[in-house]
């Protein structure tokens, strides 16, 4: 499918909706959807969550199937992997593949399918509720929802049991890829604490996308080293907790965990699963309190990160710093302060005309409008913020996020990410093309 040629053509929302559907149809495989056919030829965890919401506008059966396929790769300890390598023939297209990642070294890993040994943000609870609410015949599909709820609760249980060593209600990530925001500048201070070996490997991402828009070669050494160390630990959680130099309490990950727990509570009540409701409700209370106590950055007025390995707070203004709004856990005064921040130079540039929401503040010295998670706008994060600001009643900001998202796609095509800086007649979309979650999020915003 081609990039849409001109604005006039694309302001027609019917055409855009049709293009969204084309992208998802084109990326559908046998039972799941790839994020982007060349760059990411397998199934990714949080992508599939957002994608399932997109499918709910086209075909509920596929939406449910997307989730079923994902959950079928769950490890016996509840862990959910961030990649499921369904297709052996696509392995030459992607690095690091299943062998390099070596998740098979762990006894809990499934035997019937190859997976990675790291996870991604816990979106499935609220994704499932999104489908649940749209279900036309709940009685017919009750079994699907009950089973999915049990699997998601098992995942959350795994997180609280294995990733919350001090019983704070905050879970840690043990690889930057687990954050979903791979090369965020939030990790830079951690990279300074150790020196990885240099990996002389053939990256595949840079053969699909310009190197200037991807993480640097040096950054990749850190990422691969963490994978290698995890493999040496056979992905044993206790060993990794001791050995890995990267253990972070991430605001986005924990906020999405709260939102998912809340959704699980509501569904469990409707489906008469009182134990699930009780468990998720106590988790969500505890996690919400700790996010507000430990991750709020008074200086910036946003939520930040805690580096658990080196015992220090990471103060940085990223778009993920707004994500607790999505979980509805931000006290009103703080939320109000956040509206001033998103409307100011940090997130809209000195002329206050930038597209929302850049992944890193313009004022951060590391800001780079075109490099992956160090500046560009991502549609999945925009969707979370759009919902968050809407729920708090900040309609103008929510509308701007939504309209900017639509404009960026309409003008550039279904890219993986976009520069927040407005330009005239210049291509502003970057990374993978015909990107599934970009299409899925737009379907929600256009409907
Ligand atoms: C990149 C993104 C990650 C996403 C994956 C597949 O690694 O950073 O969030 O899940 O691509 O789209």
């Amino acid at each position: 499918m081609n990039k849409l040629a001109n604005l006039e053509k694309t302001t027609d929302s019917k055409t855009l909706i049709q293009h969204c559907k084309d992208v998802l149809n084109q990326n559908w495989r046998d039972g799941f959807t790839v994020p982007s056919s060349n760059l990411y030829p397998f199934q990714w965890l949080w992508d599939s969550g957002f994608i399932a919401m997109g499918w709910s506008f086209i075909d509920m059966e596929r939406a449910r199937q997307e989730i079923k396929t994902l959950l079928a790769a769950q490890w016996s300890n509840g862990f959910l992997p961030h990649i499921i390598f369904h297709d052996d023939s696509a392995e030459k297209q992607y690095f690091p593949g299943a062998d390099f990642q070596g998740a098979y070294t762990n006894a809990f890993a499934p035997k019937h399918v190859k997976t990675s040994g790291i996870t991604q943000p816990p979106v499935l609870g609220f994704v499932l509720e999104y489908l649940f609410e749209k279900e036309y015949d709940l009685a017919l599909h009750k079994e699907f929802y009950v089973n999915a709820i049990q699997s998601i609760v098992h995942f959350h249980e795994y997180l609280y049991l294995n990733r919350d060593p001090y019983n704070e209600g905050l879970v840690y990530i043990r690889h930057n890829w687990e954050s979903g925001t791979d090369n965020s500048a939030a990790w830079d201070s951690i990279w300074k604490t150790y020196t990885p070996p240099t990996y002389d490997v053939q990256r595949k991402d840079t053969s699909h996308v310009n190197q200037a828009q991807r993480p640097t070669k040096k950054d990749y050494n850190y990422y691969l080293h963490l994978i290698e160390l995890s493999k040496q630990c056979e992905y044993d959680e206790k060993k990794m907790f001791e050995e890995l130099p990267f253990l972070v309490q991430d605001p986005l990950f924990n906020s999405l965990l709260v939102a998912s727990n809340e959704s699980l509570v509501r569904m469990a009540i409707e489906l008469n699963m009182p134990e699930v409701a009780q468990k998720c409700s106590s988790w969500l209370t505890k996690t919400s309190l700790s996010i507000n106590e430990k991750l709020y950055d008074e200086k910036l007025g946003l939520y930040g990160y805690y580096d658990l390995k080196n015992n220090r707070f990471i103060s940085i203004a990223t778009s993920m710093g707004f994500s607790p709004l999505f979980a509805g856990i931000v006290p009103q005064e703080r939320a109000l302060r956040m509206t001033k921040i998103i409307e100011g130079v940090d997130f809209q540039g000195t002329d206050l005309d930038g597209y929302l929401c850049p992944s890193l503040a313009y004022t951060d010295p590391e800001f780079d409008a075109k490099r992956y998670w160090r500046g560009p706008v991502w549609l999945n994060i925009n969707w979370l913020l759009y919902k968050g600001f809407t729920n708090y009643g900040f309609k103008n900001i929510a509308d701007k996020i939504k309209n900017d998202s639509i404009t960026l796609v309409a003008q550039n095509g279904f890219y993986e990410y976009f520069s927040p800086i407005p330009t005239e007649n210049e291509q502003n979309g970057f990374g993978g093309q015909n990107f599934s979650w970009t299409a899925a999020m737009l379907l929600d915003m256009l409907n």
Side-chain angles (χ1 to χ4, degrees):
M1 198 194 59
N2 295 323
K3 173 168 85 67
L4 301 172
N6 58 52
L7 184 58
E8 194 189 34
K9 196 166 147 201
T10 57
T11 43
D12 165 9
S13 68
K14 261 205 196 138
T15 314
L16 261 183
I17 288 177
Q18 189 51 48
H19 279 277
C20 293
K21 293 181 177 174
D22 292 346
V23 169
L24 290 185
N25 276 315
Q26 181 185 301
N27 290 341
W28 173 255
R29 301 291 180 264
D30 193 12
F32 70 97
T33 314
V34 296
S36 166
S37 58
N38 290 329
L39 196 56
Y40 306 115
F42 309 106
Q43 187 175 24
W44 262 257
L45 199 170
W46 77 326
D47 293 68
S48 271
F50 292 118
I51 290 165
M53 297 196 286
W55 277 121
S56 73
F57 291 93
I58 308 169
D59 181 340
M60 278 301 278
E61 186 53 39
R62 284 195 176 178
R64 280 185 237 105
Q65 190 57 49
E66 185 83 41
I67 304 294
K68 275 191 215 162
T69 310
L70 199 60
L71 294 176
Q74 185 163 35
W75 292 21
S76 59
N77 62 345
F79 172 83
L80 283 175
H82 93 303
I83 303 178
I84 308 166
F85 298 96
H86 290 293
D87 177 4
D88 284 345
S89 67
E91 290 231 22
K92 52 186 174 312
Q93 253 173 279
Y94 186 80
F95 180 83
D99 282 344
F100 187 95
Q101 302 208 26
Y104 55 80
T105 52
N106 189 285
F108 295 119
K111 304 279 178 271
H112 67 284
V113 65
K114 294 183 197 168
T115 78
S116 65
I118 63 175
T119 190
Q120 262 185 339
V123 298
L124 292 186
F126 68 80
V127 165
L128 196 73
E129 190 185 27
Y130 189 96
L131 307 187
F132 186 79
E133 283 177 346
K134 285 179 122 180
E135 201 57 81
Y136 44 90
D137 189 346
L138 199 53
L140 187 63
H141 299 291
K142 188 172 169 199
E143 199 184 329
F144 162 74
Y145 288 97
V146 169
N147 291 340
I149 288 171
Q150 274 155 351
S151 304
I152 300 167
V153 171
H154 196 194
F155 176 46
H156 291 190
E157 196 142 52
Y158 151 85
L159 290 172
Y160 286 107
L161 279 176
N162 294 283
R163 307 286 193 105
D164 183 16
Y166 309 117
N167 196 15
E168 297 172 284
L170 286 181
V171 305
Y172 66 71
I173 54 170
R174 50 170 165 73
H175 193 292
N176 53 301
W177 283 338
E178 291 200 317
S179 67
T181 61
D182 304 10
N183 66 331
S184 167
W187 325 133
D188 290 1
S189 65
I190 302 178
W191 303 146
K192 291 194 181 117
T193 64
Y194 69 99
T195 311
T198 302
Y199 291 88
D200 191 18
V201 291
Q202 190 62 43
R203 271 171 71 179
K204 302 289 164 71
D205 56 330
T206 44
S207 51
H208 305 296
V209 173
N210 184 338
Q211 164 71 67
Q213 298 159 25
R214 297 283 306 178
T216 63
K217 191 165 187 296
K218 186 164 172 241
D219 284 345
Y220 248 75
N221 289 331
Y222 290 102
Y223 312 166
L224 296 178
H225 189 46
L226 287 177
I227 295 282
E228 214 184 21
L229 290 174
S230 306
K231 188 175 174 181
Q232 279 163 18
C233 295
E234 297 180 340
Y235 288 88
D236 178 277
E237 297 291 345
K238 285 212 171 72
K239 282 192 206 148
M240 286 187 286
F241 176 64
E242 281 154 25
E243 301 289 327
L244 297 182
F246 185 104
L247 301 172
V248 172
Q249 290 167 323
D250 174 292
L252 175 68
F253 198 101
N254 281 284
S255 296
L256 299 187
L257 184 58
V258 170
S260 278
N261 276 326
E262 266 199 63
S263 291
L264 289 169
V265 171
R266 284 188 292 263
M267 286 185 287
I269 291 171
E270 273 199 49
L271 292 170
N272 196 21
M273 301 166 84
E275 279 168 28
V276 168
Q278 216 208 348
K279 195 184 272 186
C280 298
S281 149
S282 65
W283 283 336
L284 88 87
T285 310
K286 199 164 171 185
T287 306
S288 313
L289 280 173
S290 288
I291 292 177
N292 273 315
E293 271 174 22
K294 193 171 180 186
L295 300 186
Y296 184 65
D297 188 342
E298 189 64 54
K299 188 173 76 146
L300 294 180
L302 288 173
Y303 289 78
Y305 302 72
Y306 196 83
D307 172 354
L308 208 55
K309 187 73 188 183
N310 303 295
N311 266 318
R312 59 186 182 204
F313 190 75
I314 302 173
S315 173
I316 183 165
T318 70
S319 55
M320 282 52 75
F322 296 101
S323 62
L325 289 171
F326 177 74
I329 59 173
V330 180
Q332 199 63 29
E333 275 156 60
R334 288 185 183 176
L336 203 58
R337 188 169 165 206
M338 285 163 113
T339 64
K340 306 284 176 262
I341 296 168
I342 202 163
E343 286 176 327
V345 291
D346 280 333
F347 286 93
Q348 293 193 36
T350 35
D351 294 336
L352 297 181
D353 65 346
Y355 292 115
L356 287 176
C357 179
S359 38
L360 181 63
Y362 285 88
T363 41
D364 190 297
E366 288 301 320
F367 176 84
D368 180 341
K370 296 182 185 170
R371 200 185 285 278
Y372 223 40
W373 292 96
R374 300 174 86 92
V377 176
W378 292 74
L379 267 267
N380 62 332
I381 302 295
N382 265 15
W383 181 81
L384 295 168
L385 301 191
Y386 156 62
K387 292 285 173 196
F389 281 104
T390 302
N391 292 341
Y392 275 80
F394 300 121
K395 190 171 178 312
N396 290 348
I397 299 175
D399 282 349
K400 172 151 170 65
I401 296 175
K402 180 171 95 170
N403 294 335
D404 285 358
S405 304
I406 296 171
T407 306
L408 283 167
V409 178
Q411 291 187 349
N412 300 288
F414 288 82
Y415 277 87
E416 186 178 7
Y417 45 95
F418 303 87
S419 163
I421 302 174
T423 49
E424 269 174 42
N425 308 320
E426 230 180 78
Q427 174 52 258
N428 244 354
F430 303 100
Q433 292 180 33
N434 296 334
F435 206 76
S436 297
W437 79 29
T438 302
M441 298 296 85
L442 212 69
L443 274 174
D444 176 277
M445 291 178 179
L446 289 168
N447 278 280

